[in-house]
Amino acid sequence: MLRPPTVIFILVSVFLVWSWMMQRSTTVTLQDTDYSLTYRVAWGFGMKERLMLGKTEAPWSLASSQWVEIWKKPYNSGAVLYVSNDGQTFYIGTYYKLGIAMPDSKRLVMTCDKADIPKLTQLGRHISASQDFEQVKIIDPEGQSFPSYIEADVPGRTTTGPPTPSKYYIDLQYIGRFGVVRGKSRGKDVRFVSSDNAPEPQMSLNVHCG
């Protein structure tokens, strides 16, 4: 008969292995820097996501966000990546909070403050002011919804490609987005897709903090 400490050790070990197996992550190198950004999703009794800023090739993170529970999981998962025109600051839209990564100072800040959202372009202002979904479709007929799944046939990347000027935010360039790959089962893969294969999602830096 197993002693109680042995039973506890076995149960804890099984739980840790199960937790590890139910996590998926992908890491992308930030262009023109020695830093990387990791997007991680954990499936368990619920679903949650987090971001981690690290040094390229280093096994540890320099800064990370807290785990965020996904509401109406997994539909609201994912993160959209931008860089400022001067290349110093990276903005990450996660639907819930706005992430601001500053590699030179090794900082990753998650904020709900709408004042931190970069200024909108004229198109962005028109969309933001509109309360009519049909009108938004007229204003921005090619607009991509966010958050959304990444389709299984869209190739992922581990390095960022050439960014494109943002349609919605002034002085920002759109790099690409992280997301859960569409699938039938929990624990499906996650992937980073660059801007050449993933059109810029609409107004993805807006925050929806509860």
Side-chain angles (χ1 to χ4, degrees), residues 101-154:
M102 294 156 280
D104 287 346
S105 58
K106 302 177 177 59
R107 296 181 63 207
L108 174 60
V109 177
M110 305 300 293
T111 178
C112 289
D113 191 344
K114 294 184 177 181
D116 292 324
I117 299 174
K119 293 182 179 180
L120 298 173
T121 61
Q122 184 174 10
L123 174 60
R125 291 195 300 272
H126 285 329
I127 293 172
S128 182
S130 178
Q131 302 296 320
D132 187 334
F133 178 74
E134 293 301 321
Q135 182 65 27
V136 170
K137 288 176 63 177
I138 295 173
I139 295 172
D140 187 25
E142 297 181 356
Q144 303 290 310
S145 62
F146 175 75
S148 63
Y149 290 108
I150 290 177
E151 300 301 330
D153 60 348
V154 178

Side-chain angles (χ1 to χ4, degrees), residues 35-175:
Y35 296 89
S36 62
L37 188 69
T38 296
Y39 173 75
R40 184 180 297 274
V41 172
W43 287 268
F45 300 107
M47 180 179 175
K48 54 189 178 181
E49 65 183 7
R50 76 187 305 184
L51 295 165
M52 291 173 284
L53 177 68
K55 194 79 170 177
T56 305
E57 306 299 336
W60 59 85
S61 62
L62 300 171
S64 64
S65 69
Q66 295 180 336
W67 285 106
V68 175
E69 293 289 337
I70 304 299
W71 185 66
K72 288 190 176 179
K73 48 191 178 290
Y75 313 110
N76 291 330
S77 60
V80 183
L81 181 60
Y82 293 83
V83 63
S84 58
N85 284 348
D86 62 10
Q88 300 299 306
T89 306
F90 293 83
Y91 292 87
I92 309 108
T94 68
Y95 183 74
Y96 301 96
K97 294 184 179 182
L98 170 66
I100 304 174
M102 294 156 280
D104 287 346
S105 58
K106 302 177 177 59
R107 296 181 63 207
L108 174 60
V109 177
M110 305 300 293
T111 178
C112 289
D113 191 344
K114 294 184 177 181
D116 292 324
I117 299 174
K119 293 182 179 180
L120 298 173
T121 61
Q122 184 174 10
L123 174 60
R125 291 195 300 272
H126 285 329
I127 293 172
S128 182
S130 178
Q131 302 296 320
D132 187 334
F133 178 74
E134 293 301 321
Q135 182 65 27
V136 170
K137 288 176 63 177
I138 295 173
I139 295 172
D140 187 25
E142 297 181 356
Q144 303 290 310
S145 62
F146 175 75
S148 63
Y149 290 108
I150 290 177
E151 300 301 330
D153 60 348
V154 178
R157 294 184 59 153
T158 57
T159 58
T160 55
T164 59
S166 174
K167 294 169 55 178
Y168 309 106
Y169 302 99
I170 294 173
D171 295 332
L172 288 191
Q173 299 180 59
Y174 166 59
I175 298 174

Side-chain angles (χ1 to χ4, degrees), residues 10-23:
I10 292 173
L11 292 176
V12 170
S13 298
V14 170
F15 176 77
L16 291 175
V17 170
W18 176 76
S19 297
W20 177 79
M21 291 178 64
M22 294 304 292
Q23 292 191 27

Side-chain angles (χ1 to χ4, degrees), residues 181-197:
V181 178
R182 187 186 294 275
K184 296 181 180 180
S185 62
R186 291 162 62 87
K188 189 66 176 178
D189 201 9
V190 297
R191 190 174 296 170
F192 174 80
V193 183
S194 60
S195 59
D196 52 350
N197 284 319

